[in-house]
Amino acid sequence: MIAAAAVLGVLALALAWPAPVALSGASWTARSPATALALWQGIALGGGLAMIGSLLAFGAAPAGSLAGAATSLLPSFWTGPIPAAFGVVQLASLTLAVGLAVHLALNLVSTAVRAERARRRQHRLVDLLGDPLPGSPGTRVLSHPVPVAYCVPGIRTATVLTDGLVDLLDDDELRAVLAHERAHLDQFHHLVLLAFRAWHAALPWFPIANRAEGAVALLTEMLADDRARAVVGAEPLATALVRVGTAGEPGAYADAGGVHPDPRMLERRLARLDPGTTPLPRWARAACWTAAIATAVTPIVVLASILV
Amino acid sequence: MAGLGELERSVMEALWASDVALTANDVRDRVALRSEPGRAPATTTVLTVLSRLERKGFVARARDTRPHHYHALLSRAEHTAELMHEVLAASSDRDAALARFVGTVTDGEAQTLRRLLDDLVRR
């Protein structure tokens, strides 16, 4: 039991600090965003399970197994006294594990509920205010000068453009934008983003959660860019990005809440559209996928081994 | 009820196009003018749509007259400006709900970024 707790503890520490720092600093992620996204998910899932699991294993050690600890501790909640084998440290560790699990789950639920509410409101307004775009079902155009394109994911989806954007872009660029948004919707990027946003909301003081959320958001943009590039080619996508990213200067965004296009994200998305950028070799991608799966599965295997 | 969304749009168009508050009958007549023959809604349907729109906060009614007079709470442009503000402004709820083609940063973040870039250039 103590050995299992130690293994999980070391894994939790590795996934809480060095692994995400290395991944967020790596430059290869722009070459194979899907692979990098798999690694991020492995780190988040494996890290969370390892952290909770190590606390559980340590706290349950006096009973010899997780099930044993549950059967000896749970009845004494109501009838007391707590078995003497469990000291304050073990009980604190178990409480922390349960508290952390509940905290993470509640944050996931509340983040999902708030996102769903915001999406309903979006649909309500877009249905009334947007005009359909001929030849592009599910797309609405709002009458507003700031060039903006976005999509509303979920069970019911919508792609929304402003006529500022339609005026700014030529036909190929517009098709690139539509293909990009379509990719977000088809590939369910909102689910991955939701999980990482909930993780960040649950651990706001944890710098890695913030960094992970930013990295994952950028990777989903790159995946959507890849689809747009496959549909219309790199050139219209790049010019669309530059036009939308710079059209706001200096005044167009002024009335829209004091925001500007994010230059850092744009730069990284543009740089990888260069034809010299090639995906990682097949063996490297396979190795990363294996590592991602192993990272998520290891804590489960360790916990299963001490279950009974 | 596939047409309900379309009907809400038509009713709002009628209210937005009018300078004065309208009764449900006025609204029905104006919607009927733009509908295909035989597809014009009944006044009861229009009343249902109007109360839905009232609940959603798009429409207000004056209750001191009979029949009630309805008017749009905000103009179309005002609603659109409000929607854009929500889409562009930094808010974690918004971020979780939508995905934008080009993301935005706030003034403060943009200044921080520029300072970081300046520092890098000077080094």
Side-chain angles (χ1 to χ4, degrees):
Chain A
M1 287 294 277
I2 292 295
V7 168
L8 289 171
V10 169
L11 188 62
L13 286 179
L15 296 178
W17 187 257
V21 166
L23 187 54
S24 67
S27 57
W28 65 263
T29 52
R31 294 166 60 194
S32 293
T35 308
L37 198 57
L39 274 174
W40 273 116
Q41 292 178 78
I43 287 173
L45 190 61
L49 287 173
M51 201 189 308
I52 294 167
S54 70
L55 291 168
L56 274 183
F58 178 75
S65 74
L66 295 178
T71 46
S72 62
L73 274 179
L74 284 181
S76 56
F77 265 131
W78 287 275
T79 58
I82 289 166
F86 292 92
V88 175
V89 186
Q90 279 83 14
L91 292 175
S93 176
L94 288 173
T95 311
L96 201 58
V98 173
L100 194 59
V102 171
H103 180 60
L104 289 174
L106 283 182
N107 261 287
L108 187 61
V109 170
S110 79
T111 306
V113 167
R114 273 180 296 149
E116 187 53 37
R117 201 176 298 148
R119 279 181 207 132
R120 286 224 189 111
R121 181 171 155 70
Q122 277 291 325
H123 279 304
R124 211 153 58 215
L125 285 164
V126 168
D127 283 350
L128 280 183
L129 302 170
D131 296 316
L133 183 69
S136 179
T139 305
R140 297 281 187 150
V141 182
L142 296 171
S143 154
H144 199 273
V146 175
V148 174
Y150 65 95
C151 60
V152 190
I155 298 166
R156 207 190 133 201
T157 63
T159 301
V160 185
L161 314 174
T162 57
D163 51 16
L165 182 105
V166 176
D167 292 344
L168 181 71
L169 303 181
D170 69 26
D171 286 354
D172 277 346
E173 289 162 350
L174 199 56
R175 279 171 57 217
V177 172
L178 289 170
H180 173 101
E181 298 305 331
R182 190 79 247 161
H184 280 316
L185 298 176
D186 291 349
Q187 298 175 10
F188 302 112
H189 290 159
H190 63 288
L191 296 180
V192 185
L193 284 168
L194 184 81
F196 277 85
R197 194 163 309 266
W199 184 34
H200 184 197
L203 311 169
W205 37 264
F206 185 43
I208 295 303
N210 182 23
R211 211 184 286 196
E213 190 190 330
V216 166
L218 180 59
L219 289 171
T220 59
E221 294 304 330
M222 289 175 172
L223 282 170
D225 282 347
D226 283 346
R227 170 79 81 80
R229 174 164 54 177
V231 173
V232 294
E235 174 90 29
L237 174 62
T239 54
L241 278 169
V242 170
R243 282 186 203 229
V244 176
T246 54
E249 305 294 334
Y253 282 85
D255 295 336
V259 293
H260 310 274
D262 185 346
R264 190 178 32 179
M265 228 167 173
L266 262 183
E267 242 164 61
R268 299 191 60 179
R269 282 168 66 187
L270 281 170
R272 64 190 291 278
L273 293 178
D274 183 277
T277 306
T278 51
L280 282 189
R282 189 181 288 271
W283 64 264
R285 273 180 288 155
C288 287
W289 277 93
T290 312
I293 293 167
T295 308
V297 167
T298 305
I300 300 175
V301 172
V302 173
L303 284 172
S305 73
I306 56 168
L307 186 60
V308 283
Chain B
M1 299 300 267
L4 205 55
E6 271 316 296
L7 201 50
E8 283 186 359
R9 275 171 69 82
S10 313
V11 167
M12 282 315 293
E13 304 273 359
L15 291 174
W16 277 325
S18 165
D19 294 332
V20 294
L22 302 174
T23 66
N25 269 325
D26 297 337
V27 172
R28 189 214 44 208
D29 292 346
R30 285 165 201 231
V31 171
L33 276 181
R34 284 199 256 157
S35 317
E36 292 163 38
R39 300 287 311 268
T43 307
T44 50
T45 315
V46 170
L47 271 170
T48 309
V49 170
L50 280 168
S51 14
R52 275 173 62 106
L53 289 168
E54 190 184 11
R55 246 197 341 267
K56 290 179 181 178
F58 292 106
V59 164
R61 74 170 110 180
R63 292 169 184 276
D64 47 357
T65 57
R66 285 279 161 186
H68 290 165
H69 281 66
Y70 296 84
H71 64 273
L73 266 175
L74 291 175
S75 74
R76 192 184 176 131
E78 284 165 336
H79 270 306
T80 309
E82 195 187 86
L83 175 64
M84 273 301 111
H85 204 284
E86 269 174 44
V87 168
L88 291 168
S91 131
S92 62
D93 282 2
R94 188 285 328 280
D95 284 347
L98 310 173
R100 280 167 308 159
F101 182 57
V102 171
T104 45
V105 289
T106 61
D107 274 340
E109 287 170 315
Q111 277 164 14
T112 314
L113 276 177
R114 241 171 266 134
R115 254 202 313 277
L116 284 175
L117 284 176
D118 288 350
D119 286 354
L120 283 176
V121 172
R122 243 180 272 127
R123 226 176 275 159

